[in-house]
Amino acid sequence: MGEACKLSIPYRCFNVSARRAVHLPRQATGLPPASATHAGIDLPAQGKWLCRLKFRQINHLQNSAQVKHIIGAKPPTHPASPAAHPAPQVVRLQAVDANSAGQRLDNFLLRELKGVPKTHVYRIIRSGEVRVNKGRASADTRLAEGDLVRVPPVRVSDRIEEKAAHPAPAREFPVLLDDDAVLAIDKPAGVAVHGGSGVSFGVIEQLRQARPQARFLELVHRLDRETSGILLIAKKRSALTHLQAQFRERETGKTYLALGVGAWQANKKVIDTPLHKYLQQDGERRVRTTTADDPDGMRSITLVKLRQRLPARPEAGLPEFSLLEVTIKTGRTHQIRVHLASQGCPIAGDEKYGDFELNRRLQRHGLKRMYLHAWRLQFTHPASSERIELLAPLPPDLACFFPLS
């Protein structure tokens, strides 16, 4: 073999990993220039084979690196860059204000650490990382005004940070009552009351953006996304607990207007049938009636009063309808919808429990959504103790199909 093609470096140099070798200049490794061949390297047979293998690995890695550079792969972060060393998070002491007085520690932290999973919040409480007035506390500890809560640094997911960077759009809604303690709005149909599965934001998130000066805004109760009407929001924690107690003790009057398909036989009726929540195979939430001995059944009470009848229109393919005033004594998921359907009078336009073929015909006649509206709400004002009655007028999309008489 020609002396010009011999390598002058020892065989052990090829023990350098291929990954490191690709970053070294050819002069530093002692390898021949790219134009030289390796066929004439003066090494034992075993060494010649290994040498050829190393050259293939080096060429492959060099080509891969060039391809990655061409397609725009991200270069490694420089150790000195800010991205490599994010600003360290620090412990903070959060004072409990009047709006948070009486709240449980876990609920207080869930509000302070928005986006942090509940499991993580309970873990930092159990581990003692969270302190109240420098002492350990349990999740059910009730906070008092002026307490100092030690909130440790926590990491949030990229999804939560992205959500924080792009908050819900600010939006106001028609106001029925607005004072220092309570806000009542007329929620339109098609708007969720809060963000959740499949919904980035709802009424409460939009209101908080529209009213940045409001230190406290919390839902007192909920409405289905498809339901329009009165929605009550507390502006103080004391008002929230007072109003929720009224709902829990059935001291409020919640009356809906519902258009049932068919003839409601009784002028007045009480439906006292337990309801059972379950999930379908696709993960969709559903509710069905059940028996009193069902351990998972929840007692549900609905009062129904016939207000007006709409005769059938055979020429249009429409049956008889009954406009009902429905008052619920319990606030179960989909209570009115399931109770009316169980009586053979499903709500017109209900896509979950209604007559699906009829719903398609109703859309052609102008009813584009479920005919269910939270029409009247009675409660005791948490500050003045005055008995309040609110009325939300029937929205145009329902009034055009079947107006109130």
Side-chain angles (χ1 to χ4, degrees):
M1 298 182 182
E3 295 293 327
C5 295
K6 290 182 179 179
L7 287 176
S8 59
I9 57 177
Y11 168 66
R12 285 180 183 157
C13 80
F14 288 98
N15 290 335
V16 177
S17 69
R19 181 179 292 275
R20 292 179 58 193
V22 74
H23 296 299
L24 296 174
R26 287 181 176 270
Q27 293 82 355
T29 62
L31 296 175
S35 59
T37 65
H38 59 272
I41 298 177
D42 189 11
L43 292 173
Q46 179 183 356
K48 290 180 181 179
W49 181 82
L50 289 172
C51 182
R52 287 196 295 272
L53 178 61
K54 291 296 181 182
F55 270 115
R56 290 192 187 102
Q57 289 175 341
I58 291 169
N59 289 337
H60 170 71
L61 289 169
Q62 285 177 329
N63 292 337
S64 298
Q66 290 171 357
V67 170
K68 289 181 180 178
H69 177 71
I70 291 171
I71 65 176
K74 293 182 179 180
T77 305
H78 192 277
S81 66
H85 297 287
Q89 294 178 311
V90 296
V91 172
R92 60 188 173 93
L93 293 176
Q94 183 66 42
V96 178
D97 60 16
N99 283 328
S100 299
Q103 192 174 24
R104 286 171 50 118
L105 176 60
D106 52 357
N107 292 331
F108 176 83
L109 288 173
L110 288 170
R111 181 173 175 84
E112 289 293 321
L113 302 174
K114 286 205 178 290
V116 177
K118 284 187 176 181
T119 54
H120 187 67
V121 169
Y122 285 106
R123 185 186 67 78
I124 61 177
I125 294 174
R126 289 193 303 268
S127 67
E129 296 175 70
V130 176
R131 301 290 180 106
V132 178
N133 300 328
K134 300 184 179 180
R136 294 179 70 116
S138 59
D140 60 356
T141 298
R142 293 286 176 178
L143 300 175
E145 185 176 1
D147 282 349
L148 286 179
V149 180
R150 179 190 187 273
V151 183
V154 293
R155 290 179 58 83
V156 297
S157 66
D158 293 339
R159 181 179 64 84
I160 297 300
E161 290 182 345
E162 176 71 14
K163 186 176 179 179
H166 300 86
R171 180 179 176 182
E172 287 282 3
F173 298 89
V175 173
L176 303 173
L177 172 67
D178 190 359
D179 58 30
D180 292 339
V182 180
L183 171 65
I185 64 168
D186 188 355
K187 185 189 86 68
V191 181
V193 295
H194 60 81
S197 57
V199 181
S200 299
F201 55 84
V203 168
I204 193 64
E205 289 87 2
Q206 291 182 292
L207 280 173
R208 286 169 181 161
Q209 291 297 319
R211 300 180 175 217
Q213 74 284 357
R215 300 186 63 185
F216 187 92
L217 288 175
E218 290 290 346
L219 293 166
V220 175
H221 62 109
R222 288 165 172 76
L223 294 176
D224 288 345
R225 184 175 183 176
E226 302 92 340
T227 304
S228 57
I230 303 171
L231 182 65
L232 211 55
I233 296 151
K235 299 172 73 174
K236 291 182 178 180
R237 179 157 300 280
S238 58
L240 177 66
T241 55
H242 192 288
L243 290 167
Q244 286 181 334
Q246 291 185 52
F247 278 90
R248 188 168 54 250
E249 299 300 325
R250 305 176 188 174
E251 296 173 354
T252 60
K254 289 178 65 179
T255 302
Y256 294 71
L257 292 175
L259 186 65
V261 179
W264 189 262
Q265 298 302 321
N267 186 37
K268 291 184 179 180
K269 188 169 184 178
V270 177
I271 306 174
D272 188 355
T273 307
L275 297 177
H276 176 91
K277 289 194 293 186
Y278 67 97
L279 292 178
Q280 297 187 134
Q281 290 185 348
D282 59 1
E284 187 75 17
R285 181 180 60 178
R286 286 290 190 275
V287 179
R288 60 177 173 81
T289 57
T290 187
T291 57
D293 57 355
D294 184 349
D296 296 319
M298 302 184 73
R299 188 182 184 190
S300 307
I301 303 173
T302 303
L303 310 180
V304 184
K305 177 182 177 182
L306 178 63
R307 177 171 181 141
Q308 189 177 344
R309 294 188 187 278
L310 181 66
R313 289 182 283 169
E315 72 286 355
L318 297 179
E320 183 178 1
F321 293 97
S322 300
L323 184 62
L324 307 172
E325 293 182 13
V326 184
T327 301
I328 55 174
K329 291 300 182 180
T330 53
R332 311 303 183 199
T333 301
H334 299 168
Q335 176 174 327
I336 296 175
R337 301 163 69 174
V338 178
H339 268 176
L340 292 184
S342 71
Q343 301 298 311
C345 195
I347 298 177
D350 189 345
E351 295 292 340
K352 283 186 170 68
Y353 308 100
D355 184 330
F356 309 125
E357 177 59 35
L358 175 61
N359 289 342
R360 285 193 285 270
R361 296 200 302 273
L362 289 174
Q363 288 189 2
R364 294 195 293 269
H365 289 276
L367 185 61
K368 305 295 185 182
R369 55 107 166 175
M370 179 173 63
Y371 199 116
L372 184 61
H373 177 66
W375 168 57
R376 182 173 64 203
L377 179 62
Q378 298 168 322
F379 62 95
T380 301
H381 195 280
S384 66
S385 298
E386 178 187 0
R387 192 65 178 174
I388 303 293
E389 181 180 81
L390 299 176
L391 292 173
L394 201 63
D397 60 341
L398 299 186
C400 287
F401 186 78
F402 193 169
L404 293 179
S405 59

